[in-house]
Amino acid sequence: MSVPPSFSRATLVTTLRAAGCVFAEDEAELLLSAASSPAALALMVSRRVDGTPLEHVVGRAEFDGLRIAVGPGVFVPRRRTEFLVRQAAGLAAATGPRPAPAPVHVPGPVTAGDAPCPAPEPGPAPVVVDLCCGSGALGAALAARLGRVELHAADVEPAAVEYARRNIGARGRVHLGDLFDPLPAALRGRVSVLLANVPYVPTGDVPLLPAEARVHEPLVALDGGADGLDVMRRVVAGAPDWLAPGGSLLMEAGARQAELARETVRAAGLVPRVVTSEEWCATVVIGTRPA
């Protein structure tokens, strides 16, 4: 499709709608706000019309209140995965250090022996690991929610690791390698929350994905093998060695895969749970190491 060299807002919306963009009005607003010049806008619209994901065109995605940098060859975080982050935040809060009780006020004069005790030192920060981290969106979002974490993230794709380092920044460390392989050995048995946004699309269904994903995102972030659970099985098999007692593994899955995923988690010695949300169209599989 040919793209005009300059746009009114109405022309931009019409151009995007003709290219099949369902939310043309919203996309038009985002492109207009992101373009630094009419020439830059024309280039961005041309890329979008050619099927490049909007997030790759503007260089960012909105995720759980954060602006996540993304680019060519990097998996775009899905908004439904915010449901997983919320589940993880709830688990971390439930298993993390408890606040000290409030001091009891005793009426009367205060002597040296009655002086209030100093506030206790805060407990250790929960250890969070984000495997298959892609852009690092999940780890960054959970760290932002919890405030204080020891965060490690890992991905096998060099391009993803570069973006994850930008997005996680000083919140944690990002490692290049396959699943648990690049993680520091000192994390074994200490992980409170293990996030693993594994690929779970069955190989036979990959050609059915929208072109935005199929053409522009790395296959390794999409293809989960014959039944979609190949990478999940590898993560589940390794998780018990890395989780702390009471720590939990959280993974997204398709609704049709939930029961098989649950049994995979149970077979590894973790206590399984499946949480679903119609609002988010999301299914999260949780495995907790017995305390």
Side-chain angles (χ1 to χ4, degrees):
M1 176 183 296
S2 61
V3 175
S6 62
F7 296 92
S8 66
R9 185 186 181 282
T11 301
L12 179 53
V13 170
T14 300
T15 301
L16 293 171
R17 187 175 289 123
C21 300
V22 177
F23 303 104
E25 291 84 359
D26 294 338
E27 293 198 14
E29 293 295 339
L30 187 55
L31 290 168
L32 286 166
S33 67
S36 58
S37 67
L41 177 61
L43 179 59
M44 294 168 76
V45 174
S46 178
R47 293 180 63 204
R48 182 64 183 128
V49 166
D50 287 342
T52 302
L54 178 65
E55 294 82 0
H56 286 176
V57 172
V58 300
R60 64 180 187 267
E62 301 297 324
F63 185 81
D64 202 38
L66 300 180
R67 181 170 287 184
I68 301 296
V70 294
V74 176
F75 182 81
V76 175
R78 297 345 188 213
R79 295 299 296 270
R80 65 173 177 268
T81 309
E82 293 180 19
F83 179 67
L84 185 153
V85 172
R86 296 182 182 202
Q87 297 301 309
L91 286 169
T95 59
R98 296 183 181 275
V104 177
H105 175 66
V106 180
V110 177
T111 66
D114 296 327
C117 296
E121 291 294 322
V127 177
V128 173
V129 170
D130 182 5
L131 290 187
C132 305
C133 70
S135 64
L138 276 67
L142 184 56
R145 281 180 171 269
L146 297 180
R148 193 171 64 95
V149 297
E150 180 183 346
L151 172 62
H152 294 262
D155 201 283
V156 73
E157 283 286 316
V161 166
E162 289 303 311
Y163 275 93
R165 285 174 177 156
R166 289 173 57 184
N167 291 316
I168 288 175
R171 296 185 182 98
R173 295 173 56 194
V174 183
H175 311 273
L176 174 63
D178 184 40
L179 299 183
F180 300 99
D181 290 350
L183 296 179
L187 296 182
R188 285 183 180 273
R190 295 182 51 230
V191 179
S192 303
V193 176
L194 175 56
L195 308 170
N197 196 19
V198 298
Y200 58 86
V201 179
T203 302
D205 291 348
V206 170
L208 306 178
L209 292 174
E212 289 185 10
R214 189 179 68 251
V215 176
H216 296 278
E217 293 181 321
L219 183 63
V220 69
L222 303 170
D223 190 342
D227 63 358
L229 301 185
D230 283 1
V231 182
M232 181 182 289
R233 290 187 182 93
R234 294 178 57 210
V235 171
V236 171
D241 289 338
W242 294 86
L243 289 172
S248 293
L249 162 67
L250 297 96
M251 305 170 291
E252 200 170 71
R256 292 178 299 173
Q257 301 163 320
E259 287 308 310
L260 182 54
R262 185 203 299 268
E263 291 310 310
T264 300
V265 168
R266 189 192 310 277
L270 302 177
V271 179
R273 183 160 61 97
V274 176
V275 185
T276 61
S277 169
E278 292 185 4
E279 177 186 358
W280 292 90
C281 297
T283 298
V284 174
V285 181
I286 301 172
T288 301
R289 180 181 167 188

